[in-house]
């Protein structure tokens, strides 16, 4: 081995052995010597507007409260109050209940943890001492921390050098010794940190950080079982040295979103200083493999599932239309919805108006009676399960507006065009990660009846996707916009077997699709951890489904002026789609590309449904389909398709309107003009909250 190579090797090894890859970046410091004699513990109000520091003085010991004009920016901190914390002597760590109504401080002289109440949340000037808990076996208790729900407490000290775990029968209350129970769980840190000053868990309990002035460094432990500090679960991971700034660490705290670290130091010269650091990857310090992150995997899977779901939502309404045509082939008017449709979504409204104008212009060259308009609305709710990914809640809505005509050369064939809009939202996990999608589709469809029994249906179309990506990691919000485009097609072969009472329609169907998702970048909109940002490369999704099933329908003639047709279905769906590879990398480290392969985990699926057509002689009609899709134990969706129609009589107008923001809202408006009187009836419903409002108005024009 050459001397030059040996030097390079030693240099690289030294980088690895220290914190050269740690991505803890020193930002600034603030000297508080004029405010304090000897600073110790530090903490913040969750919004970063207040900072708390404990200090030891001869008489009395106090807690300093600072106001920050810029959240978490210690350079803007000004002392706002200085409050005695008697009976604490030599205070150390300071911890708050999440709502700011309780405060806990370690009494470094002895074995005590002192509990205080705050009559005004987060205002230490309103504190009152509530009680004490004595920790046995320690001569110098140093730190305390809690599980976020307040049901577990962890302590350590300088004497035993072990972390002890306690359960609290009453969350966030240690004043009754009978309700604080030692679980006998403990972990030694003597070989890692001989003089501990604080410890803090990651909010999910999978990582523990310990630090002290023996080495002036942050020690990271991994927990295979969250909140379990036994040796079988706890393992030392890495050490991050802060000696470049520190000489005598006294306390530390990570912000709630784990994007910043603050450390107190009272060096021998007497300069009491607070140091601020930024964390490159929230909660982990070092950027981990994002392909192992359950939320990242879930949001990638959600986009693959979305590509398939949009195809389904674009093809099924067309097949509902074609099935309706077969049930009503002898009717003179084949428009199942001669109704005005109103949309509160401005973009959608403009598109619909454009289609209406286009059709009106085309009617100049066509026999208007040959074209038949139709529309259908849809709402859907579902859940997705994952073994290694976060669970998903899915809810969406959409509508279809189409027109078709019988071929002049073949009265057993029909073709048409349909425009479709869909809004899809997927809630991932429980921390606020979401996926919002708007889709716009145009399709051509046709149906052909052979020998009066066998039929062939076909669809081909294109879709354009506008995906809004919203990922939350340790309270950091990462957003990105992704475009997509897809082409899809479907063919259905079946036979209509007529019986005196029931029509039997067996068939097979093939659905194919290809989706191209554009590359995009996440941007941090909340928090300070820019290195959590990922860049996703272009991704292709191929889908192939084969279905076999049967549709049954029966028509009942009523004497009360209405005709009702019942129909139900049962299908088996085989998902033959290949896997799809998603590739991504950190903005801060673009040389390392990570990959997550979305395998087809739902090969066996089913579809069951029931629907009815209700037609009144007056011209009013209702077409409804309820369908449930199941995915091999991996999730399900419940979907409702609805068409409401009215053939205008005596200047009656019917309107179905949709609105979707945080809630799913829909409504019906009916306006009837008769002899100068205008009668308006409307129903507005919130489908998420089961709220409904109805109104009737009568106006007379003079």
């Amino acid at each position: 081995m050459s001397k030059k190579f040996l030097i390079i090797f030693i240099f690289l090894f030294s980088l690895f052995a220290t914190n050269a890859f740690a991505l803890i970046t020193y930002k600034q410091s603030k000297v508080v010597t004029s405010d304090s004699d000897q600073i110790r513990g530090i903490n913040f109000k969750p919004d970063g507007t207040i900072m708390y520091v404990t200090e030891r003085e001869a008489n009395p010991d106090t807690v300093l409260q600072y106001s920050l004009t810029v959240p978490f920016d210690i350079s803007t901190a000004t002392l706002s109050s200085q409050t005695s914390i008697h009976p604490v002597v030599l205070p150390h760590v300071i911890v708050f209940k999440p709502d700011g109504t309780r405060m806990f401080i370690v009494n470094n002289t002895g074995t005590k943890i002192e509990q205080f109440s705050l009559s005004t949340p987060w205002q230490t000037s309103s504190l009152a001492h509530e009680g004490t808990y004595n920790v046995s076996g320690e001569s110098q208790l140093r730190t305390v921390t809690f599980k976020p729900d307040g049901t577990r407490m962890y302590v350590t000290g300088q004497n035993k050098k072990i972390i002890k775990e306690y359960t609290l029968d009453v969350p966030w209350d240690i004043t009754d010794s009978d309700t604080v129970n030692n679980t006998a769980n403990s972990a030694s840190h003597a070989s890692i940190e001989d003089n501990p000053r604080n410890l803090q868990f990651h909010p999910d309990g999978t990582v523990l950080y310990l630090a002290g002035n023996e080495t002036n460094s942050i020690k990271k432990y991994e927990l295979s079982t969250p909140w379990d500090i036994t040796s079988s679960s706890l393992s030392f991971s890495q050490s991050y040295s802060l000696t470049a700034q520190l000489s005598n660490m006294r306390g530390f705290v990570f912000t709630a979103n784990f994007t910043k670290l603050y450390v107190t130091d009272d060096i021998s010269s007497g300069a009491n200083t607070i140091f601020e650091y930024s964390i490159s990857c929230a909660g982990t310090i070092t950027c981990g493999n994002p392909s192992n992150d359950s939320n990242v995997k879930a949001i990638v899977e959600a986009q693959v599932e979305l590509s398939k779901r949009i195809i389904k939502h674009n093809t099924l309404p067309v097949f509902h239309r074609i099935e309706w045509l077969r049930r009503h082939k002898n009717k003179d008017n084949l428009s199942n919805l001669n109704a005005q449709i109103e949309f509160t979504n401005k973009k959608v409204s403009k598109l619909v108006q454009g289609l209406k104008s286009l059709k009106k212009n085309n009617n100049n060259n066509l026999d208007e009676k040959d074209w038949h308009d139709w529309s259908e609305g849809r709402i859907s709710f579902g859940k997705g399960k994952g073994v290694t990914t976060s669970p998903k809640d899915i809810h969406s809505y959409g509508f279809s507006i189409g027109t078709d005509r019988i071929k002049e050369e073949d009265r057993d064939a029909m073709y048409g065009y349909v425009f479709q809009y869909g809004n899809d939202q997927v809630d991932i996990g429980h921390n606020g990660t979401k996926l919002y999608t708007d889709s716009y589709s145009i399709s051509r469809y046709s149906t052909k009846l052979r020998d009066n029994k066998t039929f062939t249906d076909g669809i081909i179309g294109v879709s354009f996707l506008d995906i809004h990506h919203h990922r939350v990691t340790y309270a950091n919000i990462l957003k990105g916009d992704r475009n997509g485009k897809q082409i899809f097609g479907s063919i259905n072969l079946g036979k209509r077997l007529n019986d005196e009472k029931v029509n039997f329609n067996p068939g097979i169907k093939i659905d194919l699709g290809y989706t191209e998702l554009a590359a995009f970048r996440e941007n941090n909109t909340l928090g300070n951890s820019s290195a959590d940002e990922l860049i996703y490369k272009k991704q292709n999704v191929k889908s192939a489904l084969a279905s076999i099933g049967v549709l049954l329908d029966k028509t009942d003639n009523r004497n009360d002026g209405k005709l009702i047709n019942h129909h139900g279905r049962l299908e088996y769906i085989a998902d033959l789609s290949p896997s799809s590879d998603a590739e991504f990398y950190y903005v801060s480290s673009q040389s390392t590309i990570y990959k997550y392969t979305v395998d087809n985990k739902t090969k066996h699926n089913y579809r069951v449904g029931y629907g009815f057509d209700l037609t009144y002689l007056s011209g009013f009609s209702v077409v409804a389909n309820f369908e449930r899709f199941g995915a091999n134990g991996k999730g399900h969706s419940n979907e409702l398709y609805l068409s409401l129609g009215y053939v205008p009589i005596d200047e009656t107008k019917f309107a179905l309107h949709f609105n979707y923001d945080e809630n799913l809202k829909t409504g019906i408006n009916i306006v009837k003009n008769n002899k100068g009187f205008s009668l308006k009836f409307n129903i507005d419903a919130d489908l998420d909250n089961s709220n409904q409002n109805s109104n009737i108005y009568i106006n007379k024009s003079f």
Side-chain angles (χ1 to χ4, degrees):
M1 183 182 295
S2 69
K3 183 176 181 181
K4 182 177 181 181
F5 179 81
L6 180 62
I7 293 174
I8 294 174
F9 177 80
I10 293 174
F11 174 71
L12 293 175
F13 179 80
S14 66
L15 288 178
F16 182 79
T18 61
N19 66 321
F21 301 106
L23 303 179
I24 297 182
T25 305
Y26 168 69
K27 303 297 290 185
Q28 61 180 332
S29 64
K30 182 177 181 65
V31 177
V32 293
T33 305
S34 60
D35 304 327
S36 171
D37 183 27
Q38 297 181 39
I39 59 175
R40 288 294 185 265
I42 183 171
N43 213 328
F44 286 82
K45 186 181 178 182
D47 64 4
T49 60
I50 302 177
M51 178 176 68
Y52 309 90
V53 177
T54 59
E55 64 155 349
R56 52 179 296 183
E57 291 185 341
N59 186 29
D61 291 329
T62 60
V63 58
L64 309 176
Q65 179 172 314
Y66 292 83
S67 298
L68 285 72
T69 55
V70 178
F72 297 111
D73 184 353
I74 60 175
S75 67
T76 68
T78 57
L79 184 65
S80 57
S81 66
Q82 188 169 350
T83 306
S84 171
I85 48 177
H86 180 77
V88 177
V89 180
L90 304 181
H92 211 60
V93 167
I94 177 171
V95 179
F96 289 88
K97 186 181 178 183
D99 63 2
T101 60
R102 270 191 181 148
M103 179 180 74
F104 304 85
I105 294 179
V106 168
N107 195 335
N108 191 217
T109 299
T111 62
K112 298 178 180 180
I113 303 172
E114 307 293 349
Q115 178 176 308
F116 299 83
S117 65
L118 283 72
S119 58
T120 302
W122 305 109
Q123 295 298 320
T124 54
S125 59
S126 68
L127 64 81
H129 186 252
E130 288 189 309
T132 302
Y133 183 78
N134 288 294
V135 178
S136 61
E138 287 288 351
S139 61
Q140 288 193 41
L141 192 64
R142 290 289 176 76
T143 183
V144 63
T145 192
F146 295 83
K147 188 179 178 183
D149 62 3
T151 60
R152 294 191 194 183
M153 178 176 70
Y154 303 83
V155 301
T156 189
Q158 197 275 332
N159 183 28
K160 294 292 186 180
K161 300 178 179 55
I162 60 173
I163 304 170
K164 292 183 178 181
E165 178 183 340
Y166 297 81
T167 61
L168 278 62
D169 295 340
V170 180
W172 299 103
D173 190 355
I174 61 172
T175 57
D176 186 351
S177 59
D178 293 334
T179 64
V180 182
N181 308 299
N182 191 339
T183 65
N185 287 346
S186 63
S188 175
H189 54 75
S191 62
I192 306 299
E193 178 57 61
D194 189 60
N195 195 11
R197 291 293 178 176
N198 194 15
L199 61 87
Q200 185 177 348
F201 282 89
H202 184 272
D204 65 8
T206 61
V207 180
L208 169 65
Y209 298 97
L210 177 71
N213 61 336
E214 177 71 21
T215 59
N216 291 307
S217 59
I218 303 289
K219 311 298 192 305
K220 178 182 176 182
Y221 294 82
E222 307 281 352
L223 286 78
S224 58
T225 302
W227 307 105
D228 182 3
I229 61 171
T230 58
S231 57
S232 61
S233 172
L234 188 69
S235 62
F236 175 71
S237 176
Q238 277 180 294
S239 177
Y240 308 96
S241 176
L242 305 178
T243 55
Q245 293 80 38
L246 303 179
S247 62
N248 196 22
M249 174 187 286
R250 293 302 187 180
F252 77 88
V253 66
F254 290 94
T255 56
N257 60 8
F258 270 75
T259 62
K260 287 192 173 187
L261 169 68
Y262 298 87
V263 183
T264 59
D265 187 304
D266 65 343
I267 60 178
S268 57
S269 62
N272 291 277
T273 307
I274 302 170
F275 294 93
E276 177 186 328
Y277 301 83
S278 64
I279 310 299
S280 295
C281 289
T284 61
I285 300 182
T286 54
C287 298
N289 186 343
S291 64
N292 294 327
D293 185 283
S294 61
N295 277 353
V296 172
K297 293 192 290 185
I299 207 164
V300 170
E301 288 185 2
Q303 294 181 62
V304 173
E305 296 165 358
L306 170 71
S307 302
K308 299 179 182 180
R309 190 163 56 249
I310 289 176
I311 295 175
K312 178 185 72 172
H313 288 159
N314 286 336
T315 57
L316 291 190
V318 176
F319 284 121
H320 291 160
R321 166 62 176 172
I322 293 174
E323 292 165 0
W324 186 91
L325 289 171
R326 279 195 282 271
R327 295 193 296 268
H328 299 267
K329 64 179 182 177
N330 297 322
K331 292 183 66 173
D332 294 331
N333 189 343
L334 295 180
S335 292
N336 74 330
L337 184 60
N338 290 335
Q340 176 187 353
I341 301 182
E342 301 172 350
F343 302 98
T344 56
N345 185 306
K346 294 182 179 180
K347 183 185 293 186
V348 173
S349 181
K350 289 182 180 180
L351 287 170
V352 173
Q353 292 300 322
L355 288 174
K356 289 181 178 180
S357 300
L358 179 62
K359 182 178 181 298
K360 184 177 181 180
N361 293 333
N362 289 339
N363 283 342
N364 294 330
N365 301 318
L366 295 173
D367 184 356
E368 187 174 353
K369 295 181 180 180
D370 288 340
W371 287 93
H372 309 279
D373 300 330
W374 64 276
S375 66
E376 184 172 79
R378 166 188 57 82
I379 59 173
S380 174
F381 301 90
K383 291 185 177 294
K385 302 178 182 178
V387 179
T388 62
T389 65
S390 300
K392 297 181 283 290
D393 287 318
I394 306 163
H395 37 99
S396 66
Y397 78 99
F399 66 85
S400 306
I401 299 178
T403 184
D404 45 42
R405 65 177 299 183
I406 299 173
K407 289 186 176 180
E408 295 181 2
E409 66 277 11
D410 186 356
R411 302 296 295 178
D412 290 326
M414 177 174 273
Y415 70 94
Y417 303 90
V418 59
F419 165 77
Q420 294 168 300
Y421 167 77
N423 181 283
D424 193 281
Q425 178 176 321
V426 183
D427 296 321
I428 298 171
H430 307 289
N431 67 347
T433 296
K434 302 177 185 290
L435 199 69
Y436 304 90
T437 304
D438 294 302
S439 62
Y440 309 87
S441 307
I442 299 176
S443 308
R444 188 185 191 278
Y445 61 92
S446 63
T447 181
K448 168 68 177 177
L449 181 65
R450 296 178 173 84
D451 63 36
N452 205 37
K453 290 185 177 181
T454 305
F455 55 83
T456 305
D457 309 325
I459 307 169
I460 186 168
V462 295
S463 299
F464 301 92
L465 283 57
D466 188 7
I467 303 172
H468 307 285
H469 173 106
H470 184 110
R471 182 165 69 94
V472 179
T473 173
Y474 310 116
N476 294 294
I477 299 178
L478 303 158
K479 294 184 178 182
D481 293 328
R482 186 175 210 176
N483 297 321
K485 52 187 178 181
Q486 69 179 191
I487 184 171
F488 60 90
S490 183
I491 186 168
N492 181 44
L493 305 175
K495 196 168 186 176
R496 186 168 177 82
L497 305 176
N498 297 320
D499 188 86
E500 292 183 359
K501 296 182 178 182
V502 180
N503 298 310
F504 185 73
N505 302 265
I508 58 174
K509 181 162 64 76
I510 303 293
D511 297 291
L512 300 174
Y514 177 82
T515 306
E516 184 179 276
L517 302 175
F520 80 104
R521 169 182 171 171
E522 294 177 332
N523 291 286
N524 198 2
T525 60
L526 180 66
N528 302 280
S529 183
S530 61
D532 279 314
E533 299 172 352
L534 293 173
I535 295 177
Y536 296 76
K537 299 177 69 175
K538 183 174 71 174
Q539 183 179 357
N540 300 322
V541 181
K542 300 175 183 177
S543 60
L545 291 89
S547 308
I548 182 170
V550 61
L551 174 68
L552 305 173
D553 66 87
K554 176 185 178 184
T555 302
D556 294 331
N557 292 302
R558 303 289 184 90
N559 296 324
D560 52 359
K562 61 185 178 185
L563 183 72
I564 185 169
N565 181 289
H566 302 274
H567 42 90
R569 70 175 73 248
L570 176 63
E571 284 184 13
Y572 166 76
I573 306 170
D575 192 339
L576 308 176
S577 307
S579 60
S580 177
D581 293 334
E583 294 184 328
F584 36 83
Y585 50 88
Y586 285 109
V587 174
S588 59
S589 181
Q590 301 187 17
S591 59
T592 303
I593 298 177
Y594 303 91
K595 183 172 74 173
Y596 178 62
T597 299
V598 183
D599 295 319
N600 185 4
K601 300 181 178 67
T602 57
K603 296 182 179 181
H604 305 288
N605 310 270
Y606 68 86
R607 174 191 180 194
V608 296
Y610 165 77
F612 63 86
D613 307 342
L614 180 62
T615 305
Y616 290 86
L617 296 179
S618 61
F620 182 77
S621 64
V622 179
V623 184
N625 286 280
F626 172 80
E627 299 183 357
R628 181 179 177 94
F629 294 81
N632 192 32
K634 302 296 183 180
H636 68 272
S637 66
N638 298 314
E639 303 183 359
L640 177 64
Y641 297 82
L642 183 65
S643 295
L644 302 174
Y646 194 87
V647 178
I649 301 174
D650 294 333
E651 300 183 25
T652 300
K653 295 182 179 180
F654 175 90
L656 177 68
H657 60 270
F658 301 89
N659 184 27
Y660 189 84
D661 38 42
E662 291 297 324
N663 299 314
L664 184 59
K665 299 179 181 178
T666 186
I668 298 172
N669 294 330
I670 299 176
V671 179
K672 174 137 178 114
N673 295 316
N674 188 16
K675 298 181 180 181
F677 287 92
S678 178
L679 176 64
K680 181 178 180 181
F681 172 73
N682 73 280
I683 300 176
D684 295 306
D686 186 337
L687 300 179
D688 276 348
N689 299 316
S690 301
N691 295 325
Q692 181 172 293
N693 295 311
S694 304
N695 294 286
I696 298 177
Y697 303 94
I698 299 178
N699 292 316
K700 170 70 174 176
S701 301
F702 297 95

